[in-house]
Amino acid sequence: MENEAAMSRSAKTLIVKAIVVVCMATLIGLGGNYLNAMQTRGGFDAIIRDSPAPELRVAEERILLEPSEGSFSFAVLGDMRWESPPRIAVLKDAQQRKPLFMTNLGDAVAKSRGAEWEKYLDELAANWDRSIPYFHIPGGHSRNYRFDGVYPAFFQHYFGRTNYYVDVKGWRFCFLDTSSGNIPNDQESWLKERLREAERDRRKVVLFMHHPPRLEAQGIKHALSGADTQKLAQIIKGGEIAAIFCGHIHSTFKYTWDGIPVYVTSLDGSSWKEQPAEYLHVVVQENQLIVTRTSLTRDMARSVEQL
Ligand SMILES: [Fe+2]
């Protein structure tokens, strides 16, 4: 009997030891993976440099812009994490049209390393027309793995808030942060409140977000998850959304989701190799949005097409 009890104790001790070893190996593995992610995604890069273009920083939740004329326009630029010449070309072309504001839909850098951000900011400091407000939102590539969590650390340093809204006459432009790949709960209630105010004030609403709503029937799969697409549909239900502008899919085109026109624009690694660099220009006339796609080739041939 004593032998059986001793064997049972010894078996239990072995099982406990095995569980401890497995747990420790798992923790070391996870820790190693996280440290590796920190190494590749800017986690060890110090955020030390002041912005060479501090006007890009959004500090307030609400921005009010006043156009000098009845109609106004804005430009939409998408993912540009590849080579500099095409992204500088679309920026310069967009701003020579003197839009009231420009937007950048995220993924301006590939790994969110400090040096990448510094290069991007230096380009903006040299080429951006500071008389035109330029609003950025983060994409998945904007996120850093830091000691205190995964978030767009460099983006926040250079651009401030990651979600906010801009009011212009009878329009409200809401900027969402989907850099985590989904719509965070705090932005769910935030957007509902912005839509409620817009309805009260009879403003039409435009959304800007990095990830497009999923619509697999039309091949839109590189997108928000199905659950988050449903979540977005619930948030905006009953509201009047004139259009949604997104990046993430590396092309420039339009589709209709939930009865709403969705415009996607983005550069690509092949921009100025196999395809032109493109962006959107939007004229706002009364209650209407007139959206055009501008295509620029490497030799600066330029074409404009209404979507
Ligand atoms: Fe993306």
Side-chain angles (χ1 to χ4, degrees):
M1 288 292 286
E2 275 183 22
N3 279 349
E4 277 181 26
M7 281 176 67
S8 171
R9 276 198 302 275
S10 144
K12 281 179 185 168
T13 306
L14 270 174
I15 289 169
V16 169
K17 280 181 179 173
I19 290 171
V20 168
V21 167
V22 168
C23 288
M24 284 182 67
T26 304
L27 283 173
I28 289 167
L30 289 175
N33 287 343
Y34 194 83
L35 287 173
N36 187 45
M38 285 182 70
Q39 175 63 33
T40 54
R41 297 296 295 267
F44 296 111
D45 297 356
I47 304 175
I48 50 173
R49 195 180 77 150
D50 288 342
S51 175
E55 305 90 336
L56 290 165
R57 210 164 188 286
V58 174
E60 304 295 328
E61 182 182 14
R62 181 187 185 224
I63 296 150
L64 184 61
L65 295 180
E66 297 278 359
S68 56
E69 298 171 8
S71 66
F72 64 94
S73 73
F74 61 91
V76 186
L77 284 60
D79 311 35
M80 41 178 64
R81 58 189 161 89
W82 298 276
E83 293 179 3
S84 299
R87 70 186 186 193
I88 293 172
V90 292
L91 173 67
K92 284 184 163 180
D93 198 87
Q95 62 194 12
Q96 56 86 23
R97 303 169 104 135
K98 297 293 177 192
L100 182 67
F101 64 90
M102 299 187 292
T103 70
N104 184 295
L105 298 175
D107 287 356
V109 293
K111 302 285 187 188
S112 212
R113 302 294 305 261
E116 283 182 289
W117 284 112
E118 290 183 5
K119 183 181 177 190
Y120 180 67
L121 266 295
D122 284 343
E123 284 175 14
L124 287 180
N127 297 291
W128 168 48
D129 175 351
R130 294 176 194 228
S131 70
I132 303 169
Y134 191 13
F135 301 114
H136 285 65
I137 47 175
H141 286 263
S142 313
R143 300 213 306 166
N144 296 109
Y145 284 69
R146 307 288 289 185
F147 279 115
D148 57 347
V150 182
Y151 60 101
F154 278 92
F155 181 97
Q156 289 173 357
H157 174 67
Y158 288 119
F159 300 101
R161 291 185 61 96
T162 60
N163 77 291
Y164 45 92
Y165 61 106
V166 178
D167 284 343
V168 187
K169 298 179 73 179
W171 290 81
R172 168 157 293 179
F173 300 94
C174 293
F175 292 76
L176 297 179
D177 173 359
T178 64
S179 60
S180 60
N182 50 38
I183 300 173
N185 289 338
D186 60 337
Q187 286 182 68
E188 178 178 356
S189 50
W190 180 86
L191 182 56
K192 278 182 182 168
E193 183 59 17
R194 301 290 80 76
L195 295 179
R196 195 190 62 73
E197 293 168 352
E199 189 177 2
R200 179 196 67 200
D201 301 340
R202 298 188 177 180
R203 292 180 189 273
K204 292 178 86 69
V205 176
V206 171
L207 303 184
F208 297 101
M209 49 200 280
H210 180 72
H211 296 76
R214 181 172 292 262
L215 188 59
E216 296 200 1
Q218 290 188 33
I220 313 296
K221 298 176 183 172
H222 190 54
L224 282 176
S225 68
D228 277 271
T229 300
Q230 283 290 322
K231 187 176 180 180
L232 180 65
Q234 282 301 316
I235 295 170
I236 64 176
K237 196 172 183 181
E240 192 176 354
I241 310 293
I244 302 175
F245 290 88
C246 307
H248 196 54
I249 301 173
H250 302 149
S251 183
T252 300
F253 64 99
K254 173 191 177 186
Y255 66 101
T256 302
W257 168 77
D258 205 20
I260 302 167
V262 180
Y263 299 92
V264 176
T265 189
S266 171
L267 298 188
D268 184 75
S270 63
S271 297
W272 279 14
K273 295 184 180 103
E274 290 104 48
Q275 60 180 354
E278 298 178 322
Y279 71 94
L280 298 170
H281 181 247
V282 185
V283 175
V284 185
Q285 280 182 341
E286 300 286 335
N287 288 329
Q288 224 189 336
L289 299 176
I290 301 163
V291 183
T292 53
R293 169 177 57 202
T294 298
S295 304
L296 299 172
T297 64
R298 180 186 281 274
D299 56 5
M300 296 311 283
R302 183 174 186 274
S303 60
V304 179
E305 180 191 3
Q306 188 167 338
L307 295 183

